[in-house]
Amino acid sequence: MTAETPWEEWDHILKIDPDKELPDGITYGDLCATGTDAIEVGGTMGITEENMEAVVDACAEHDVPLYQEPSSPDVVIDNRALEGYLIPTVFNAGSPFWITGAHKEWVRIDNGLDWDRTATEAYIVMNPDADVATYTEADCDLDADDVAAYAEVAERMFGQEIVYVEYSGMLGDEDIVDAASGAVDDATLFYGGGIHDYDSAYSMAQYADVIVVGDLAHDEGVDAVRETVEAANDA
């Protein structure tokens, strides 16, 4: 049976932050060749149209699906190398701007928005020290039942195809990720945060459908990322 969405077939996403440097001697082409299922270009701070374009253009010649994850409407780029756009909506945000407000602004200023290439990610932000938590004023004081409820609300009430448990900057609680996994039926569960080697990748890939690896590419480089791809495929 053919998957209805590309991410149903994925195990691993490499997220590249345009505001961060790569390790010496590492190219975007090297990262594209790690075996990751897709590359997501995005970040929270310091993101501009120019640095988004630079990373997408650098990855475009390589055979790996490219998606933009814009942090705000003013950094969205129109680049045909992109397979599409994955748009965060932060379900536990303290400000409604990060649930629907930013999205309304994007639609208002872009009458030609390509809906066929646009999907949303129902974020549940869990690390209070992360930039994304500060930026969105997220309520991160959540237990497993809370996270499971958010995941169920995202899928059942709001029809979200992706639920994303985000611990950006730290490795998450396996029980919480497991609870989110048990709460969704058809939605694809993404997990991101603190994955730094084979074991940490494998531990989260047991529960999440897709693991998202980001800082590791900027901090350690290709071999470390490749280990996490192997773990995601093994889980």
Side-chain angles (χ1 to χ4, degrees):
M1 189 171 84
T2 303
E4 294 184 3
T5 61
W7 40 88
E8 288 181 45
E9 297 295 311
W10 297 349
D11 296 308
H12 187 284
I13 294 172
L14 178 59
K15 185 181 289 190
I16 298 177
D17 188 332
D19 191 46
K20 295 181 179 178
E21 299 294 326
L22 297 183
D24 289 344
I26 301 298
T27 68
Y28 290 110
D30 295 331
L31 293 175
C32 291
T34 55
T36 188
D37 294 303
I39 287 181
E40 195 172 37
V41 183
T44 303
M45 310 298 287
I47 305 302
T48 65
E49 286 186 19
E50 291 74 21
N51 60 22
M52 280 280 194
E53 287 276 11
V55 173
V56 170
D57 288 343
C59 295
E61 62 191 78
H62 303 281
D63 188 23
V64 60
L66 285 174
Y67 288 78
Q68 185 187 11
E69 186 187 60
S71 54
S72 64
D74 58 332
V75 300
V76 176
I77 62 173
D78 183 11
N79 190 312
R80 296 312 298 180
L82 292 169
E83 294 284 332
Y85 305 89
L86 296 175
I87 312 302
T89 174
V90 181
F91 269 55
N92 60 325
S95 165
F97 184 77
W98 301 112
I99 305 170
T100 56
H103 315 72
K104 180 270 291 182
E105 282 301 295
W106 184 12
V107 172
R108 186 181 66 80
I109 64 181
D110 186 356
N111 291 324
L113 197 151
D114 189 346
W115 288 109
D116 289 338
R117 295 198 299 147
T118 302
T120 50
E121 304 165 303
Y123 263 69
I124 307 167
V125 174
M126 293 299 294
N127 179 5
D129 297 323
D131 286 342
V132 64
T134 303
Y135 201 49
T136 63
E137 303 170 36
D139 174 13
C140 303
D141 186 20
L142 306 175
D143 62 20
D145 289 341
D146 294 322
V147 172
Y150 268 125
E152 191 167 348
V153 165
E155 180 180 36
R156 293 295 189 178
M157 291 186 177
F158 291 87
Q160 296 295 291
E161 296 177 343
I162 298 169
V163 174
Y164 192 144
V165 178
E166 171 64 289
Y167 273 90
S168 181
M170 65 177 286
L171 193 63
D173 183 324
E174 290 187 30
D175 290 339
I176 284 179
V177 183
D178 187 22
S181 177
V184 297
D185 290 326
D186 298 322
T188 300
L189 182 66
F190 286 14
Y191 169 83
I195 294 174
H196 58 278
D197 58 12
Y198 181 96
D199 290 342
S200 55
Y202 189 89
S203 68
M204 291 303 161
Q206 293 181 87
Y207 308 109
D209 299 306
V210 181
I211 59 168
V212 182
V213 174
D215 289 343
L216 191 65
H218 299 281
D219 296 340
E220 301 294 338
V222 171
D223 290 342
V225 172
R226 194 173 285 120
E227 274 192 27
T228 66
V229 172
E230 182 182 348
N233 292 335
D234 288 347

